[in-house]
Amino acid sequence: MSVWLISAALFCFAGAAYGANPNLVQRGKYLTRLGDCRACHTQPGRAAFAGGVPIETPFGVIYAPNITPDKETGIGAWTLDDFYRAMHLGIDEDGDYLYPAFPFPAYTLLTREDVRAIWTYLRTVEPVRRQNEANTLRWPYRLRSLMGVWRQFYFQPGEFKPDPDASAAVNRGAYLVRGLAHCGACHSPRNRWGATMEKYFLAGGSIPVDGWYAPNITPNPHVGIGDWSADTLKAFLTTGRSEAGAALGPMRDVVQASLQYLNDDDLDAIVAYLEKVPAIGPKEVEVRHAPVLAGQEQKKLPGEVLYGKHCDGCHGDEGRAKHDYFPDLYNNPVVLSRNPTNLILIMLRGGFEAATETQPYPHSMPPFGFKLSDKEIAQIANYVRRNWDNRAVPKILPKDVAPLR
């Protein structure tokens, strides 16, 4: 018997031992992966869903709780109603308000049937006795009673209501993107009180994960994904790679732990919805590809020599990669973004692409932060943003690089 069959048999046995419908358990496992619950509730190298992951916020640190079925330190004593109330209303089993670092403003859209499937699956995972860590929020944000005021302004509970004028695929995509996948939690900006801004839904936002920036993923062709084909977007979601570039940082982890496991129908639905959301952002940034006029001399940029020494071996002397496993820098959305945070971080830290079933041994980019100064990083970044007809703004300064080291 293969390892896969043994694992499947043990998984079904766990569900049967708990007394749950194995199909419901399997459905819950799929939905739990779709929601990328492990990302916040599992520490690297530790037991699954046992909590303890620190979530940085502008108000202090919140520690993700233990959601294994341990009855004393996890959620083993919770009923389905307790779990649904947490997901739908953001209120725990003791009646306390939960902080929106737990994305209940998105999860409120979930149907009770999907919540039941997730709860049923979590009841089958290995119970882990692990006490939750106390949050370290600054005063007065540590006062949970203030969440009552916050909720009056920024939280509207209610299950998802399909748009009668939209297709079934678009409605399914909206349910996933706005709900369980909670894409807006990273890709939308937040106001000073930590609430996502619906007016700028999916228009990009800074996220408290090592300083990364979640880019605009609306169909704006200048600052979003409006010029991506459906195939390009689907490939990016499932592999972390496409002709548009590679997923690094937190998005790599999302692809690796969640999106690569989605079925085709759900992937197609997400793509269909993202193609239909309102395009947000400036109508035109600066012409991305402006050819040099006849007789006009193109001024050499200071980063040209540095680029030739450190970068063109992979990315090509005209920004077009020498192999298909290296991303092009010409017309690359990370390079052209008005927010250059991710470009700087990639240059400083390097990184691996997502490890997926189709690419189990991902390619990597080496870090350059240890060998290049802030000034040199800025010069290379400006060179690739302003060369080969790229016309990205604003100009990057050494002082923009220093805080990201």
Side-chain angles (χ1 to χ4, degrees):
M1 183 180 292
S2 71
V3 173
W4 185 89
L5 288 175
I6 293 172
S7 299
L10 289 174
F11 180 75
C12 291
F13 175 77
Y18 163 61
N21 181 329
N23 291 332
L24 187 62
V25 174
Q26 189 66 40
R27 173 69 177 166
K29 180 180 181 181
Y30 175 81
L31 294 172
T32 302
R33 264 183 169 170
L34 198 159
D36 200 14
C37 303
R38 280 178 177 261
C40 288
H41 292 279
T42 304
Q43 290 180 298
R46 301 292 182 87
F49 304 113
V53 177
I55 302 172
E56 300 282 347
T57 78
F59 316 104
V61 179
I62 295 174
Y63 290 90
N66 182 343
I67 58 171
T68 73
D70 182 73
K71 291 188 176 182
E72 294 185 14
T73 63
I75 60 172
W78 287 31
T79 65
L80 173 58
D81 287 338
D82 291 333
F83 189 71
Y84 181 76
R85 182 171 61 172
M87 296 282 281
H88 185 66
L89 297 177
I91 298 174
D92 69 15
E93 85 285 8
D94 294 325
D96 293 329
Y97 293 133
L98 297 173
Y99 291 108
F102 173 65
F104 65 85
Y107 291 164
T108 189
L109 299 179
L110 300 185
T111 65
R112 189 175 178 90
E113 291 75 18
D114 280 351
V115 173
R116 177 171 175 252
I118 294 169
W119 178 76
T120 302
Y121 165 66
L122 290 176
R123 302 275 286 181
T124 69
V125 305
E126 184 70 25
V128 178
R129 183 176 177 81
R130 184 188 183 282
Q131 292 290 344
N132 293 320
E133 297 184 45
N135 301 324
T136 55
L137 296 171
R138 301 193 309 276
W139 191 91
Y141 307 112
R142 67 174 68 112
L143 302 176
R144 285 187 184 265
S145 58
L146 291 180
M147 282 302 303
V149 178
W150 186 93
R151 294 161 65 94
Q152 291 295 317
F153 288 97
Y154 304 120
F155 177 54
Q156 182 62 48
E159 290 188 9
F160 177 77
K161 292 181 173 58
D163 180 352
D165 297 325
S167 68
V170 170
N171 273 314
R172 174 65 177 172
Y175 175 75
L176 297 176
V177 170
R178 287 185 165 274
L180 188 54
H182 58 286
C183 305
C186 288
H187 288 278
S188 299
R190 294 178 181 267
N191 64 21
R192 62 183 297 186
W193 305 114
T196 56
M197 303 169 69
E198 179 64 23
K199 180 180 178 181
Y200 302 106
F201 182 65
L202 302 183
S206 297
I207 54 178
V209 182
D210 295 331
W212 291 89
Y213 177 77
N216 187 322
I217 55 171
T218 73
N220 186 306
H222 301 286
V223 295
I225 58 173
D227 56 358
W228 292 30
S229 69
D231 288 342
T232 294
L233 182 52
K234 186 174 180 179
F236 187 82
L237 293 175
T238 54
T239 68
R241 283 296 309 269
S242 74
E243 59 263 35
L248 295 177
M251 189 62 192
R252 176 204 61 192
D253 298 334
V254 173
V255 171
Q256 190 166 288
S258 175
L259 295 178
Q260 69 161 316
Y261 298 106
L262 268 60
N263 61 48
D264 276 345
D265 286 346
D266 281 347
L267 284 166
D268 290 338
I270 289 173
V271 170
Y273 174 67
L274 290 177
E275 291 178 334
K276 295 293 185 181
V277 299
I280 302 174
K283 292 182 179 179
E284 186 170 356
V285 184
E286 183 175 349
V287 180
R288 282 185 172 185
H289 310 298
V292 178
L293 299 177
Q296 181 182 14
E297 183 179 354
Q298 187 172 14
K299 184 179 179 181
K300 287 189 176 182
L301 297 172
E304 183 173 6
V305 174
L306 289 169
Y307 178 88
K309 180 179 180 181
H310 299 288
C311 311
D312 76 354
C314 295
H315 297 288
D317 56 7
E318 294 186 355
R320 288 175 169 82
K322 295 184 176 180
H323 299 282
D324 58 6
Y325 42 80
F326 300 133
D328 288 340
L329 300 182
Y330 173 82
N331 199 29
N332 184 302
V334 174
V335 171
L336 295 171
S337 174
R338 289 184 66 89
N339 186 322
T341 297
N342 292 352
L343 175 62
I344 296 171
L345 285 176
I346 291 168
M347 294 173 66
L348 288 173
R349 303 174 185 175
F352 282 91
E353 296 175 351
T356 63
E357 291 182 352
T358 58
Q359 182 178 268
Y361 304 106
H363 300 289
S364 66
M365 173 172 165
F368 289 92
F370 75 97
K371 60 166 38 174
L372 297 178
S373 68
D374 294 346
K375 181 179 180 180
E376 289 171 325
I377 292 288
Q379 287 176 334
I380 295 174
N382 287 321
Y383 175 73
V384 301
R385 283 163 62 83
R386 299 288 297 179
N387 201 37
W388 318 303
D389 298 332
N390 284 345
R391 293 294 183 266
V393 292
K395 182 178 180 180
I396 298 172
L397 303 175
K399 68 179 183 179
D400 301 321
V401 179
L404 298 175
R405 283 190 178 272

